[in-house]
Amino acid sequence: MLQLNLLGEQRLTRRGTDLAGGGSRAVELLAYLVVHPGIRVPRSVLAGTFWPETPQPQAMTNLRRELHNLRRLLDGVDALGMSDGAIGALECAGLRVDVQLFSAERAAALQAAGRDPARFVAHAQAALAEYRGDLMPGNYSDWVPEARERLLRECTALCDEAAAALTALGKGQRALEVAGRRVTISPLEELGYRGLIRAHLALGDRPAALHAYHRCADVLERELGVAPAAETRQLLDLPAQPSGAPGPAARTAAPGSLTVGRETEQAVLQGCWEKARAGRRALLVLSGPPGVGKTHLAKALGQLARTGGAAVAFARCVDASGLVPLAPVAGWLRSRDIAPLLATLPEPIRHEAARLLPELPDPTPWAGTEAQPGPGRAMVDAWQRYRFFESLAGAVAAPGRPTLLLLDDLQWCDPDTAAWIAFLLESPGSRQLLLVATLREGAETQSPAIATLLEGARSAGLLHRLGVAPLGEAAGAELAGRIRGRPLGTDESRLLAAATSGFPLYILEAARTAPGDGFSPLLGRRLSRLGPAARSVAELAAAFGRGISLELLAEAGDLDTMSLAGALDELWREGILLPTGSGYDFGHNLLRTAVRENTTPAGRWLLHRRLAKSLELLNAGKLDAVAATLAEHYELGSNPERALSFHLRAGADAVRVFANSAALKSYDQALGIIGRLPAGAERDEAELSVRRAMSPPQTALLGYSSAALLGNLERVGALAERLGRPEVHSASLVGLFAGRYVQGRIEDSYAIARRALDLAGDDPALLGQAHFAVAGAAQGSGRIAEAIEHFAQCTEGSPPGYSYILGTRLHIHARAWAAHAHWLAGDDAGAVQLCAQALAGAQAGGHIYTRAVALAYAAVLGQFRGDRDAVAEKVAELIALCRRYDIAYYGQWGEILAGWLAGGEPGAARIRAGIGALRATDALARMPYWLWLLADTLAADGRRADACAALDAARATAALHQDSWWLPEVLRMRALLDAGDRSGTLFDEAREVAGAQGSAALLARLGPEDS
């Protein structure tokens, strides 16, 4: 079925695949017809509507072209009715149109209104589910605005009627949801906020009603420059703003005010945005000291962009240890311009996005053949992380229109979010994207992740930087004058400049002060005016360290409902807390810091304990989502036992969303707590549990051969041995085998694998992995027959399944590698059969990493056999797969083999690059073979001396690491290139090594002894 989405986006899709987006005139033509139902529009009228300034004959030609394009897109779906030179849209089963469904459900609701309230509500909610945003946002063709306003009026009126009906039916919570939706749909209509306030009051929740009022006041002042009407204030018995007091602009720091003196910065921002709208995506970093106005400049651009129909989303990074992984990305996805569209995304994208957004229904929870993420997840998950990142990028691009992402305080961005931003900037679907980030001056040097992000964007030509400096004296005086409502005199202007140094935050503080109060100290004076209840709420919010919900304020505070509401109103009127989401946050981080610094250490300790207990209570049944925050507050509240429990949960939850840096941070913090416990079996068990959980994210982030991973695995083995846990010890040794083997330490890996097999017991899955380890190490060291025997025991004696240690489907990986052993033993037919089985299994299994493994081994086997066509076919698919899913190790196999196929100096350069990349990660396994391929390429290019040098390096590497399975071929080629008497000696040595290894294939290449 085709689906035409026009509400909140402009997109024609089939089974989740885009057929045409917002720029398609054919789709716009179809949209015009469905928005004008029941009529057939003459062709001449359509031509004049869509091409009003084009001569009629050319306009008719254009119309014929677009109708042809539209029929092609519809692909047989009978959605157009044509007669007598007129065209109309038909409702048909093959085309689902959200506008048609909205109108049909709304009509059914209105028909039931007054007669059948339950039926009215059912149809009204079905209609509202279709309305995910404005009609065709960003499209300003002459006919669109009128239709857009009509649909918006219909939707808001339906919300009002549905909320009233639900209230009458005694369904207050559902009425509240509809009232909230009304505000989201039309955030500038005060009438909607009144409905939301009434809905909260009907449920007896005055703090939430006050929060809705604060949102209303801030939005109206920021967007329209007006205060709420008396009717709105009277719902809460609130007084009017005192005469002569600073207006809300001083409290909310309206972007319109803070653009004073920022004409140059605004021009740069708007220039970058126009380029992004035209398809030149970019990252724009606003840098400067705190309080200089970076955030407000970014938000001002957001207002401008949203006015132009763009999707705008804001998120903030937080300076706190208990960070939820990828929290800014989740914030963007929950924004009003993106969240309504998530339900329309293809199932695979929704499945991945549901990892990050628990509230998003997952259409396929852990379906398919992959292992469920968790502490026992496979070590190698880079490709899965890529797919997750790819899906999140697709979700952010869901609006199908220019998108502006705003990120405040980039200096506190977690490494996983920074990695995703880098991915997003390279994503093909992010063409019309601008990401504006604020950054404290010089702060990028404090975070390697931020430095890497910025350097990558700079190298790709995507980075723009704009320094934001304090205002000059004249601009500062003008800003203060706007807030005060009168111009400042010369002496006042000079005093203001001296007291504030031109920082807009302090200028706003000064403007709030009564004329005789002077200008310093500014922040402290505002805090000193707070009453006891307001101060206690501010201290609680500051201790939490980020935006805090009303629920948590009520639960963790010691105030009754009315006192809490009064305290929040006082803090809002003072401009200390501003409404955000479902709660409040500080207007600036400097305010949070000032409150925190004025709280005693004992007071902070108590606040953290109350926050932790309340947060745990409020999130019962969904603790994983707040585990990192709970761990932080329990630790700051001197409850290490509870902190340890939640650090472990936070690590597991981070692993679930592939936030490996966050996971390792949580596990390291857990180890810190464990290290302070008394020595003994209990502490060892706790440490063993944490270290076992650390191995997967270490492998994914750092690679098999990283010192951190191998050191951790050795510690796991020592703890398991001390605690009498042979199965855990064996599993750790299999992981250690993989690391040592990749490092090229073949003989060490063989001894480790043998020990793992001895400890494996009778567990079939563990036995299979131990046999695999022995087989791989045996082949690497030239024990060909032993390798074949253990590969067979791995594939035949263990259940087919997924190796949580090695990261592949073991029976496929074993067959792919066993094919090499069989070929070396002279069993070419057996090798080909095993390779084919591995490829077929990998293709059917749907596991990307295993597919890459099978392709890599198949490509190498093709090279053994001299089948260049087979090598080319496998290498092309391997490289494409590894590039897409960021699989580095096997991707380098592909690059080296591609260089061998290419030949000449370009081919040799590509091989060297691949070898260099492997060496850079300490991945030295098979290095004699890779060097032999380089030598073969150089020799074919007539560069005998260079080829000899490569072969000598291969021979030395084989001796150093006992990586000797390809040594006979290295010696044979070196003998062929040797012009002296050493040739015969080298041939003899090659025959001796090949014979001892049982490598019949390489022995056959050497020919008879007297040749």
Side-chain angles (χ1 to χ4, degrees):
M1 173 182 282
L2 294 177
Q3 181 156 322
L4 178 63
N5 292 331
L6 300 174
L7 296 171
E9 57 183 334
Q10 182 178 329
R11 182 175 291 171
L12 181 66
T13 60
R14 177 185 284 112
R15 292 188 293 275
T17 301
D18 280 341
L19 301 179
S24 169
R25 289 292 259 175
V27 171
E28 185 180 338
L29 179 60
L30 179 59
Y32 179 89
L33 296 173
V34 300
V35 169
H36 298 85
I39 61 172
R40 299 214 171 174
V41 185
R43 287 174 179 256
S44 59
V45 173
L46 281 173
T49 299
F50 278 79
W51 295 277
E53 299 181 4
T54 303
Q56 182 71 5
Q58 182 59 50
M60 293 296 289
T61 299
N62 294 345
L63 178 62
R64 285 192 293 273
R65 181 191 66 234
E66 295 306 329
L67 284 171
H68 170 76
N69 291 337
L70 180 55
R71 292 190 194 97
R72 179 177 53 80
L73 290 171
L74 293 174
D75 193 23
V77 173
D78 188 18
L80 299 178
M82 302 185 188
S83 62
D84 300 326
I87 307 171
L90 302 176
E91 293 192 23
C92 63
L95 177 64
R96 186 187 190 281
V97 184
D98 54 4
V99 171
Q100 290 177 342
L101 291 169
F102 168 76
S103 298
E105 293 290 350
R106 173 179 172 272
L110 295 179
Q111 189 175 17
R115 298 199 303 269
D116 188 342
R119 187 163 170 265
F120 165 77
V121 165
H123 285 293
Q125 290 194 310
L128 294 176
E130 295 297 330
Y131 195 97
R132 286 179 288 272
D134 288 344
L135 175 72
M136 301 167 67
N139 188 315
Y140 287 92
S141 297
D142 289 345
W143 68 272
V144 174
E146 182 180 348
R148 181 183 294 146
E149 286 301 314
R150 172 177 59 81
L151 287 166
L152 177 61
R153 287 195 303 272
E154 291 175 354
C155 184
T156 53
L158 190 62
C159 284
D160 292 336
E161 294 169 25
L166 286 164
T167 300
L169 289 170
K171 299 179 178 179
Q173 190 60 45
R174 288 175 62 186
L176 177 62
E177 292 169 3
V178 173
R181 181 78 194 285
R182 163 68 154 93
V183 168
T184 300
I185 290 169
S186 186
L188 299 185
E189 282 197 24
E190 190 173 351
L191 181 63
Y193 290 98
R194 288 179 199 153
L196 184 58
I197 291 169
R198 290 191 187 100
H200 281 303
L201 291 175
L203 293 172
D205 194 344
R206 182 174 175 82
L210 197 61
H211 178 266
Y213 173 79
H214 293 161
R215 284 174 59 196
C216 173
D218 284 357
V219 168
L220 293 180
E221 170 59 31
R222 184 171 64 247
E223 304 287 347
L224 305 177
V226 299
E231 183 180 350
T232 306
R233 296 196 308 273
Q234 287 166 4
L235 291 173
L236 290 158
D237 297 323
L238 295 175
Q241 184 76 13
S243 177
R251 176 185 62 250
T252 60
S257 300
L258 288 182
T259 53
V260 171
R262 298 299 192 193
E263 292 78 13
T264 300
E265 291 87 345
Q266 281 186 292
V268 173
L269 284 161
Q270 292 175 21
C272 285
W273 173 237
E274 289 306 315
K275 290 176 182 176
R277 285 174 56 89
R280 294 173 60 183
R281 59 188 157 201
L283 168 62
L284 173 59
V285 176
L286 304 179
S287 59
V292 81
K294 305 181 294 294
T295 302
H296 292 289
L297 277 170
K299 287 185 174 180
L301 179 64
Q303 285 182 258
L304 177 69
R306 183 171 274 133
T307 301
V312 180
F314 177 84
R316 172 174 287 158
C317 302
V318 177
D319 182 21
S321 61
L323 293 174
V324 177
L326 298 166
V329 184
W332 285 326
L333 293 177
R334 290 186 174 109
S335 68
R336 83 182 200 202
D337 289 344
I338 296 176
L341 305 177
L342 297 180
T344 69
L345 294 173
E347 284 192 2
I349 294 181
R350 276 187 289 148
H351 169 64
E352 296 295 333
R355 299 178 192 258
L356 194 59
L357 304 177
E359 69 273 17
L360 184 67
D362 187 348
T364 54
W366 305 123
T369 56
E370 294 168 25
Q372 178 171 339
R377 189 196 75 225
M379 283 184 170
V380 180
D381 71 346
W383 69 272
Q384 294 183 28
R385 187 187 200 217
Y386 180 97
R387 189 171 64 183
F388 176 59
F389 276 17
E390 190 176 47
S391 295
L392 293 183
V396 166
R401 51 185 159 129
T403 301
L404 174 64
L405 299 180
L406 305 176
L407 183 62
D408 203 19
D409 289 323
L410 178 65
Q411 69 275 2
W412 294 321
C413 183
D414 64 279
D416 299 295
T417 297
W420 181 81
I421 291 173
F423 179 93
L424 176 70
L425 292 172
E426 296 177 359
S427 175
S430 305
R431 196 170 58 86
Q432 290 183 293
L433 170 76
L434 178 63
L435 197 158
V436 178
T438 68
L439 177 69
R440 287 195 178 180
E441 209 164 49
E444 69 264 30
T445 59
Q446 300 170 15
S447 167
I450 303 306
T452 300
L453 167 64
L454 297 182
E455 176 56 27
R458 187 197 63 77
S459 299
L462 302 175
L463 178 64
H464 301 275
R465 303 199 69 151
L466 177 61
V468 182
L471 295 173
E473 181 178 319
E478 183 181 351
L479 173 58
R482 287 194 184 188
I483 303 304
R484 282 266 177 101
R486 64 168 181 81
L488 269 65
T490 302
D491 291 342
E492 285 183 303
S493 298
R494 289 174 180 168
L495 181 58
L496 176 71
T500 65
S501 300
F503 282 77
L505 177 67
Y506 299 121
I507 293 172
L508 290 170
E509 287 293 312
R512 295 179 55 84
T513 322
D517 285 350
F519 290 122
S520 179
L522 300 171
L523 295 177
R525 181 180 295 115
R526 196 186 335 177
L527 297 176
S528 69
R529 292 198 295 263
L530 296 177
R535 176 173 288 278
S536 72
V537 171
E539 290 175 347
L540 192 64
F544 193 58
R546 67 217 73 186
I548 187 167
S549 70
L550 282 170
E551 273 189 320
L552 185 55
L553 281 170
E555 186 66 36
D558 53 3
L559 300 175
D560 59 53
T561 300
M562 293 300 292
S563 298
L564 175 61
L568 288 171
D569 194 46
E570 181 181 350
L571 290 164
W572 174 76
R573 290 180 184 279
E574 285 290 342
I576 294 171
L577 291 184
L578 302 179
T580 175
S582 60
Y584 289 85
D585 200 357
F586 285 90
H588 196 283
N589 196 61
L590 290 175
L591 284 168
R592 188 194 322 274
T593 302
V595 173
R596 189 184 290 143
E597 289 176 350
N598 279 280
T599 307
T600 65
R604 289 197 296 268
W605 174 85
L606 180 60
L607 290 170
H608 289 301
R609 291 180 73 90
R610 282 163 48 188
L611 283 166
K613 290 178 180 178
S614 300
L615 191 64
E616 186 173 358
L617 178 67
L618 291 171
N619 289 275
K622 49 182 180 179
L623 290 172
D624 287 346
V626 293
T629 307
L630 283 166
E632 174 193 13
H633 290 292
Y634 271 123
E635 193 155 2
L636 290 171
S638 302
N639 190 337
E641 183 178 349
R642 296 297 290 158
L644 175 59
S645 169
F646 284 109
H647 278 311
L648 293 175
R649 294 186 73 151
D653 191 61
V655 165
R656 187 178 60 82
V657 293
F658 308 104
N660 297 308
S661 295
L664 291 178
K665 182 178 180 181
S666 292
Y667 291 140
D668 281 337
Q669 289 170 321
L671 287 177
I673 294 174
I674 291 169
R676 297 192 291 271
L677 298 176
E682 187 175 346
R683 187 180 76 175
D684 288 347
E685 285 282 6
E687 183 183 354
L688 179 62
S689 175
V690 175
R691 290 192 177 278
R692 291 182 70 193
M694 287 178 73
S695 294
Q698 280 181 323
T699 308
L701 192 65
L702 307 172
Y704 269 129
S705 56
S706 71
L709 169 67
L710 299 180
N712 185 61
L713 288 171
E714 287 175 342
R715 178 62 178 164
V716 168
L719 288 167
E721 187 171 27
R722 183 187 303 168
L723 292 167
R725 301 277 297 278
E727 75 289 350
V728 175
H729 192 183
S730 178
S732 73
L733 288 171
V734 173
L736 192 57
F737 146 79
R740 294 301 184 208
Y741 187 92
V742 168
Q743 284 184 327
R745 294 170 58 175
I746 307 302
E747 203 60 34
D748 287 349
S749 70
Y750 180 76
I752 291 167
R754 274 292 179 187
R755 176 71 171 141
L757 185 58
D758 291 341
L759 292 168
D762 56 2
D763 181 339
L766 197 52
L767 269 172
Q769 294 178 87
H771 279 300
F772 175 91
V774 172
Q779 183 185 303
S781 58
R783 301 173 173 94
I784 306 303
E786 184 179 353
I788 291 173
E789 175 192 348
H790 284 281
F791 276 132
Q793 291 187 64
C794 171
T795 56
E796 296 168 7
S798 60
Y802 188 82
S803 168
Y804 291 110
I805 305 170
L806 300 166
T808 58
R809 303 204 176 282
L810 196 63
H811 62 292
I812 295 172
H813 194 167
R815 284 182 170 85
W817 201 347
H820 290 191
H822 279 263
W823 183 86
L824 288 167
D827 181 13
D828 183 69
V832 171
Q833 182 182 19
L834 285 165
C835 179
Q837 290 172 351
L839 288 170
Q843 182 67 35
H847 188 265
I848 300 299
Y849 188 67
T850 300
R851 177 71 178 161
V853 169
L855 286 168
Y857 280 94
V860 171
L861 180 64
Q863 195 285 320
F864 290 169
R865 302 179 72 241
D867 188 346
R868 296 180 70 89
D869 290 341
V871 177
E873 177 190 349
K874 302 300 184 297
V875 162
E877 186 178 351
L878 174 64
I879 290 176
L881 199 67
C882 292
R883 286 179 179 173
R884 180 178 180 188
Y885 291 103
D886 195 24
I887 302 173
Y889 181 62
Y890 290 105
Q892 298 310 328
W893 287 31
E895 293 294 331
I896 292 169
L897 288 165
W900 176 78
L901 285 170
E905 177 50 34
R910 194 167 184 179
I911 294 173
R912 288 194 192 95
I915 289 173
L918 290 173
R919 283 175 168 160
T921 57
D922 204 19
L924 303 180
R926 300 180 180 82
M927 192 55 66
Y929 174 66
W930 306 132
L931 290 168
W932 176 88
L933 287 175
L934 175 61
D936 189 48
T937 303
L938 293 168
D941 197 36
R943 297 165 64 182
R944 177 182 170 281
D946 290 341
C948 288
L951 290 169
D952 290 342
R955 187 178 179 187
T957 301
L960 179 64
H961 297 296
Q962 296 84 45
D963 192 346
S964 57
W965 63 278
W966 197 249
L967 181 58
E969 186 64 6
V970 171
L971 294 168
R972 185 186 73 85
M973 181 178 284
R974 188 66 180 85
L976 291 173
L977 293 176
D978 197 290
D981 296 335
R982 279 200 323 143
S983 176
T985 303
L986 290 170
F987 273 120
D988 290 343
E989 185 180 349
R991 288 190 186 92
E992 182 181 350
V993 174
Q997 292 180 355
S999 184
L1002 298 187
L1003 196 58
R1005 287 189 176 188
L1006 288 162
E1009 289 191 30
D1010 57 353
S1011 62

